[in-house]
Amino acid sequence: MQSPSPTYPVDGAVVRDLRMRSGIGIPQLAERVGITASYLSRIEVGTRRRMRPATYRRLRSALGLPPDDTRILAPRPAVPAPRPGRHRRDHTG
């Protein structure tokens, strides 16, 4: 059984903001990246949140971002810290 190919978490709101600041429409950017306008739209609204590495690199390039720019990557969720004073009590006895 093959393992799934790696993907990048993408922040669609940042993609949309950068696209709009560049004055590029969804169809034009999608064509530059080599994806459908529907796929790009789903990325921007957050119903699709991951991209394969090659697609991610093409999107970053089409938006004019340098290779080391990570603005369109979604932040990793923080692991919640345990709440103080919330310990399980032993009810034996």
Side-chain angles (χ1 to χ4, degrees):
M1 185 171 157
Q2 283 185 317
S3 63
S5 61
T7 58
Y8 287 93
V10 179
D11 187 332
V14 174
V15 172
R16 180 178 50 246
D17 182 58
L18 291 170
R19 177 184 60 77
M20 292 178 76
R21 286 178 187 221
S22 298
I24 306 168
I26 288 176
Q28 292 79 20
L29 181 58
E31 185 176 335
R32 290 179 189 178
V33 178
I35 58 177
T36 66
S38 174
Y39 178 78
L40 179 57
S41 179
R42 289 191 311 258
I43 287 289
E44 287 190 0
V45 299
T47 57
R48 185 82 194 233
R49 295 189 173 127
R50 300 191 73 78
M51 290 186 143
R52 292 190 176 173
T55 308
Y56 166 78
R57 286 190 298 271
R58 289 192 312 264
L59 175 61
R60 192 182 58 218
S61 176
L63 289 169
L65 302 177
D68 60 344
D69 192 314
T70 59
R71 279 184 281 175
I72 64 173
L73 287 178
R76 294 181 184 253
V79 176
R83 291 192 272 172
R86 303 282 307 202
H87 301 283
R88 284 185 67 176
R89 293 186 181 156
D90 186 4
H91 293 293
T92 60

